[in-house]
Amino acid sequence: DFDELPESIPVFPLTGVLLLPNGQLPLNIFERRYLDMIDAAMSSHRIIGMIQPDKPNYGEKGSNPALANTGCAGRIVDFSETTDGRYLISLSGICRFKVEEELKATTLYRQVKPDWHPYRDDLESSGHIDLNRDRLTELLEHYFSKEEIQCDWSMIEKASDEKLITCLSMICPFDPQEKQALLEAKCCNKRSELFMTMLEMSTCANGNCDPDTKH
């Protein structure tokens, strides 16, 4: 429920990693500060925020790069520990958030005060997406070939439009700015339009553009 979302959350800044509402993100945790973060989350609400460093700092090394303004919170739904002390977790995306402020934390990991209100609709299914499956399949064939990505086409055929766009947006190796644009898309319909445009641009860049491709 919206009213049960926490007033503060720990955040995990990772460049190029995208979590979306209703998406599933596996993570391999090994740094001490993030092991501590998972321990704290597991003993409370199990929620952490995935967020990218801010645009001017993409790829910058450092302990505390500036954060993007928008991230997505996920709940830990699967947890295991390896013999060498790593945590293998899976996050289920819940709701996006704006960073209202970064808190002065005494922990090694960073914490923020999230503003959930701009994205409260994330807690509801977006419903039908007007997705051109034939066009999407055509573009994906070119894109996967270019990126040398193996695909189980039967899974794509079985997935709902909303689930498909969510999963593809998360796994396709777009650059960090493009990942952030997909995250900040107003709704799943807008995200699907943006995702198709990104595929079309990649296809044209690979020499497979056709006269009907729109930008």
Side-chain angles (χ1 to χ4, degrees):
D1 291 341
F2 182 79
D3 293 338
E4 295 177 347
L5 293 171
E7 295 182 358
S8 66
I9 57 171
V11 289
F12 191 1
L14 277 179
T15 299
V17 175
L18 177 62
L19 175 65
L20 291 172
N22 300 313
Q24 301 291 318
L25 179 66
L27 291 170
N28 178 10
I29 310 295
F30 53 88
E31 285 189 52
R32 180 72 264 165
R33 57 180 165 173
Y34 297 125
L35 293 171
D36 290 347
M37 177 185 71
I38 300 304
D39 286 339
M42 290 294 291
S43 65
S44 57
H45 44 56
R46 289 192 168 203
I47 293 175
I48 65 174
M50 297 302 301
I51 196 165
Q52 293 200 97
D54 195 20
K55 182 177 178 181
N57 298 287
Y58 281 135
E60 177 181 296
K61 293 183 178 180
S63 58
N64 288 312
L67 299 174
N69 190 46
T70 302
C72 183
R75 187 172 189 272
I76 301 171
V77 294
D78 191 38
F79 171 92
S80 64
E81 185 175 1
T82 64
T83 55
D84 59 357
R86 292 176 292 116
Y87 291 165
L88 305 179
I89 69 170
S90 181
L91 290 180
S92 180
I94 298 173
C95 185
R96 291 171 292 172
F97 61 89
K98 295 282 189 182
V99 177
E100 186 167 327
E101 66 173 315
E102 182 166 357
L103 303 175
K104 294 182 179 179
T106 58
T107 55
L108 293 176
Y109 54 88
R110 302 166 73 176
Q111 302 180 50
V112 302
K113 179 180 180 181
D115 180 5
W116 307 104
H117 288 85
Y119 299 111
R120 65 180 303 154
D121 289 344
D122 286 351
L123 298 175
E124 304 292 335
S125 175
S126 65
H128 176 70
I129 298 176
D130 187 17
L131 187 62
N132 185 337
R133 285 277 187 144
D134 291 338
R135 180 59 176 159
L136 176 62
T137 299
E138 178 186 0
L139 290 169
L140 286 175
E141 287 175 345
H142 291 304
Y143 184 78
F144 287 164
S145 175
K146 173 189 173 185
E147 299 293 335
E148 299 182 347
I149 297 174
Q150 299 297 317
C151 175
D152 184 347
W153 291 102
S154 65
M155 296 299 293
I156 286 182
E157 292 171 359
K158 293 176 183 177
S160 68
D161 288 352
E162 181 178 0
K163 186 68 174 179
L164 183 58
I165 291 299
T166 295
C167 292
L168 290 173
S169 295
M170 288 176 57
I171 67 173
C172 285
F174 297 125
D175 67 35
Q177 294 94 330
E178 291 171 324
K179 290 278 192 178
Q180 192 66 24
L182 288 167
L183 173 67
E184 296 180 11
K186 183 178 180 180
C187 61
C188 204
N189 273 295
K190 294 296 184 183
R191 184 173 299 118
S192 68
E193 294 173 4
L194 179 58
F195 179 79
M196 292 283 280
T197 298
M198 289 179 180
L199 287 184
E200 288 170 348
M201 292 175 65
S202 177
T203 299
C204 287
N206 200 36
N208 293 310
C209 194
D210 62 62
D212 295 327
T213 299
K214 297 179 181 179
H215 299 280

